[in-house]
Amino acid sequence: MFKQKARFRWPESRNWRLIIIVFTLIILLAVPGYSWMKKTNKAHAERQRSKLSPVIMVPGSSATVSRFNELVSLLNKHTPDEHSLLKVEVSEDGGLTYTGSIKRGDNEPFIVIGFANNHDGYANIKKQASWLDDAFYEISRNYKFNNFKAFGHSNGGLIWTYWLEHYYSQYDSDIKMKRLMTLGSPYNFNEKSIKNKTQMLSEFIRYRKRLPKSLIVYSLSGGENYESDGIVPENSVEAGKYIFQNQVKSYTAMTVTGVDAQHSSLPQNKQVVRLIEQYLLSHDAAGPQAAGSQRKQ
């Protein structure tokens, strides 16, 4: 008996249309996907090669993006190459307004991020941390730095701390916060005793394990008298140790005294200026010790 030879049968026209549609969709999806991957890899390579290491500053409540103008001017008097100053104001809808610029060849510019809504209170600090993240995302995408240093005066230090605990993890594989310096930051608001922990301090302590282990933290307080800088209780600033000690690479607390040790004058305090030069600016990393008492973890 002869076996009938199998005959090839072309798929029905309906099946052919389906196959063509599927392949077309695959191509349409693959082309932008490849383009996106290529663009992402290029941006990642640019970030890894970048020498930019900005100092990003956040002012306290009621302060504008011009809060650190005098501080930056004082810092630039002591450096051979003037640091650029870029100011970014964030509106309540996340919109950004830029003033100033970063000069070509300036690898350590100052970037000040402030908020149109600069009111006090823990609820607002949470909002400001979200707005800080909006600004940080944009400037990190535009300038492609792979590391930076942070500075926060008063509530600015609280905003940085909240941002570290709730937002930083989405950047830490590509962008490293090397150092954080807080100045007169009231981690327990106006409470003078650590026994009376505010909701903010309790939550900072609760989420402290999210802090980056490689971070170096400096906490500065003003000593107008033996108890406060005239506004913030010294014990409230010291409460930062319950957040950072044994969580980050090192935590150092310092008190500056003398002229301009009052809370609102601290950013212009000569000791503060020297401490920023010494601990935040890379070219002065090995500078002389500034006056004032120090306690290191």
Side-chain angles (χ1 to χ4, degrees):
M1 180 181 292
F2 295 101
K3 291 185 179 180
Q4 188 174 359
K5 191 174 182 180
R7 299 177 65 185
F8 176 77
R9 306 183 79 182
W10 289 94
E12 296 180 10
S13 60
R14 184 177 60 183
N15 291 340
W16 269 113
R17 285 198 298 270
L18 180 61
I19 292 170
I20 291 171
I21 290 171
V22 170
F23 273 101
T24 302
L25 287 173
I26 291 172
I27 292 170
L28 289 175
L29 291 172
V31 170
Y34 173 76
S35 177
W36 175 85
M37 184 174 66
K38 187 176 179 181
K39 186 177 180 180
T40 300
N41 289 340
K42 181 181 178 182
H44 180 74
E46 288 178 359
R47 189 182 302 283
Q48 293 303 309
R49 292 195 303 266
S50 175
K51 295 181 180 179
L52 194 67
S53 180
V55 178
I56 305 178
M57 300 178 161
V58 176
S61 61
S62 302
T64 70
V65 290
S66 298
R67 178 66 176 93
F68 299 124
N69 284 3
E70 186 175 351
L71 171 59
V72 171
S73 179
L74 290 170
L75 288 166
N76 276 332
K77 286 182 179 179
H78 297 273
T79 56
D81 298 311
E82 187 173 297
H83 299 261
S84 306
L85 176 59
L86 175 66
K87 304 174 191 176
V88 185
E89 183 181 77
V90 191
S91 64
E92 293 198 54
D93 63 1
L96 307 180
T97 302
Y98 294 85
T99 308
S101 62
I102 296 177
K103 295 185 302 183
R104 184 181 296 275
D106 182 4
N107 290 329
E108 200 170 39
F110 295 113
I111 302 176
V112 178
I113 299 175
F115 315 102
N117 176 352
N118 54 16
H119 302 310
D120 199 1
Y122 185 37
N124 216 52
I125 285 168
K126 292 179 181 179
K127 293 179 183 178
Q128 289 162 341
S130 174
W131 295 325
L132 169 61
D133 189 62
D134 290 337
F136 187 86
Y137 173 79
E138 288 300 326
I139 63 174
S140 66
R141 190 178 67 168
N142 291 339
Y143 296 103
K144 296 181 176 62
F145 50 87
N146 57 52
N147 73 87
F148 71 104
K149 288 85 67 173
F151 177 84
H153 175 233
S154 193
N155 280 10
L158 309 180
I159 294 165
W160 272 125
T161 303
Y162 192 93
W163 182 83
L164 278 168
E165 291 187 344
H166 295 275
Y167 295 95
Y168 177 65
S169 61
Q170 61 189 315
Y171 305 99
D172 65 352
S173 61
D174 293 319
I175 306 173
K176 180 181 178 182
M177 181 193 280
K178 296 171 68 176
R179 304 179 204 106
L180 168 65
M181 180 178 286
T182 62
L183 178 63
S185 294
Y187 281 100
N188 205 24
F189 280 142
N190 292 324
E191 292 291 342
K192 296 180 179 179
S193 173
I194 192 62
K195 293 179 181 179
N196 302 320
K197 290 185 178 68
T198 60
Q199 178 189 353
M200 179 180 68
L201 177 59
S202 297
E203 291 188 4
F204 279 156
I205 293 172
R206 182 187 308 163
Y207 297 112
R208 61 184 177 174
K209 292 189 181 300
R210 297 179 179 178
L211 295 168
K213 302 302 180 184
S214 61
L215 182 64
I216 296 173
V217 179
Y218 303 98
S219 174
L220 278 58
S221 61
E224 186 184 56
N225 56 49
Y226 292 109
E227 295 181 353
S228 75
D229 59 14
I231 294 180
V232 175
E234 188 171 349
N235 285 342
S236 181
V237 178
E238 288 187 350
K241 66 185 179 183
Y242 297 102
I243 303 165
F244 294 104
Q245 276 190 353
N246 300 319
Q247 302 301 320
V248 297
K249 184 176 181 179
S250 70
Y251 171 82
T252 304
M254 310 179 218
T255 301
V256 297
T257 58
V259 180
D260 291 331
Q262 196 272 343
H263 185 77
S264 61
S265 301
L266 282 171
Q268 295 79 249
N269 182 289
K270 291 181 180 179
Q271 295 179 62
V272 171
V273 173
R274 289 200 298 270
L275 289 167
I276 293 173
E277 291 173 349
Q278 180 178 351
Y279 293 113
L280 289 190
L281 300 185
S282 61
H283 61 274
D284 274 337
Q289 289 290 326
S293 60
Q294 301 186 25
R295 295 182 303 282
K296 189 170 183 178
Q297 178 182 310

